Amino acid sequence: MIFSKTLNHWYSNNKRDLPWRQTKDPYRIWLSEIILQQTQVAQGLPYYSKFVHEFPSVFHLAQAEESDVLKLWQGLGYYSRARNLHTTAKYIASELNGVFPTIYKDLLKLKGIGDYTASAIASICFNKVEAVVDGNVYRVLSRYFGIDTPINLSKGAKEFKELAQELIDKKNPADFNQAIMEFGATQCRPQSPDCNICPFNKGCIAFNENKIGELPVKIKSAKAKKKYFNFLVFIDKDAKTILEKRVGKGIWQNLYQFPLIETAKSLEFEDFKLAVKKHSLLKEVSFELSLYNEDVIIHKLSHQHLYTKFWIVKVGQSLPNSIPINKIRTYAVPILIGNFIEHFNFN
DNA sequence: AACGCGGGGTA
DNA sequence: TACCCAGCGTT
């Protein structure tokens, strides 16, 4: 009780003015929650505005093409969020007449909605007593109560979920959930939290035992693997190029890229030229090869480091299925490709 | 239970 | 560098 009272007081004095705090419309809350998964508010904010403007209701989103949803999502990462968002919008529009489920159990069935998001929507929109546990909540609770159970093992997930469910303000679950996340985001930060002016510092075990830097405990994930990407930027005699859609498993599903040759290690010009000659598009075709970036571009994902070279391939004839260069900006591409398109002078 | 999945920010 | 972010789906 005292915990939620202190928290509530802090929240009323410190909450940021964010657009999704001005509505209880489940469509907008859902949209904001998907965007904010593993994404900081500052990064997600412009995307939320774009989506609300482009798709004001779940019906607008349901009627869109997936390619348009991905294009709007471009640059935000974790693109399965966008694909699942679209899938669920279509389901809600056509099967549920546009009406969102109001309880945790039913929300959880929707694609892209897991434990956290189901709890967030149920509590914020429908005042259900469902505690959220996100990265902020793990940090706040582990520090205040001095809990060193690893947060990314199922034991920790269970333990913190139960604790949050005990602490939640049963009279105002919506504000409690948002307050504890806001507190973790702006005050009880991962590094250099404001402990000196913290309303919880008297009772905070981590603060009083000097364990702020040790909590929460998290099992380290495996190191990122190195991959060697070579993109073929074709330019044919009609000033057209080739983009391919990424299909199947792996990163950037359903986004577009220049034809890719992945190699086991970084290849120099002559070795790569030999490899390129075998490419299906270049059999019996004369071409002029040049390397765009002298220094390899290292694009870092959380689980892969992509050592990337862009090779310019000029071809004296017309290529099949090629697209005008002035159209490539309409395709959804990974930011690695988008940055290249922005900087390369195609003329 | 473990792993794959983006891109940007902070210290 | 290393870590983190209003996590989820697949295996």
Side-chain angles (χ1 to χ4, degrees), chain A residues 226-231 246 259-265 267 272 304 306:
Chain A
K226 291 183 182 178
K227 291 193 166 189
Y228 300 90
F229 277 13
N230 299 275
F231 289 111
R246 287 186 69 97
L260 170 65
I261 297 179
E262 187 176 348
T263 51
K265 59 187 177 64
L267 293 186
F272 185 70
Q304 295 178 20
L306 310 177

Side-chain angles (χ1 to χ4, degrees), chain A residues 24-27 92 96 98-110 113 117-130 173:
Chain A
K24 298 270 182 184
D25 174 6
Y27 169 67
I92 292 176
L96 304 182
V99 180
F100 277 75
T102 64
I103 64 175
Y104 171 87
K105 178 171 68 72
D106 293 339
L107 288 161
L108 196 57
K109 294 175 187 163
L110 302 173
I113 295 185
T117 306
S119 302
I121 296 173
S123 63
I124 294 171
C125 301
F126 306 111
N127 241 19
K128 298 293 198 299
V129 182
E130 302 283 356

Side-chain angles (χ1 to χ4, degrees), chain A residues 135-161:
Chain A
N136 294 304
V137 177
Y138 280 125
R139 186 166 55 254
V140 171
L141 297 185
S142 69
R143 284 175 175 170
Y144 183 77
F145 293 99
I147 302 168
D148 60 3
T149 312
I151 61 171
N152 53 345
L153 297 182
S154 55
K155 183 171 187 290
K158 186 165 179 286
E159 187 173 345
F160 284 98
K161 178 81 181 180

Side-chain angles (χ1 to χ4, degrees), chain A residues 29-37 73 81-82 85 112-113 117:
Chain A
I29 297 300
W30 167 59
L31 178 61
S32 74
E33 293 300 344
I34 303 299
I35 287 174
L36 291 171
Q37 286 168 6
W73 199 271
R81 289 184 293 172
L85 185 80
I113 295 185
T117 306

Side-chain angles (χ1 to χ4, degrees), chain A residues 32-100:
Chain A
S32 74
E33 293 300 344
I34 303 299
I35 287 174
L36 291 171
Q37 286 168 6
Q38 294 292 287
T39 304
Q40 300 199 344
V41 165
Q43 191 187 3
L45 207 38
Y47 287 85
Y48 177 80
S49 301
K50 285 195 297 181
F51 268 83
V52 166
H53 181 259
E54 195 79 14
F55 308 119
S57 76
V58 70
F59 295 105
H60 292 84
L61 182 55
Q63 284 158 18
E65 293 295 322
E66 185 191 83
S67 57
D68 292 325
V69 179
L70 284 172
K71 182 63 189 173
L72 211 56
W73 199 271
Q74 178 177 311
L76 198 55
Y78 284 153
Y79 296 93
S80 66
R81 289 184 293 172
R83 298 190 301 269
N84 289 336
L85 185 80
H86 188 225
T87 300
T88 292
K90 287 192 287 188
Y91 176 77
I92 292 176
S94 64
E95 304 296 322
L96 304 182
N97 295 317
V99 180
F100 277 75

Side-chain angles (χ1 to χ4, degrees), chain A residues 323-343:
Chain A
I323 58 174
I325 282 163
N326 63 7
K327 291 275 190 279
I328 59 178
R329 283 183 171 77
T330 65
Y331 290 79
V333 298
I335 209 65
L336 174 62
I337 302 292
N339 287 341
F340 170 83
I341 291 172
E342 219 173 283
H343 292 109

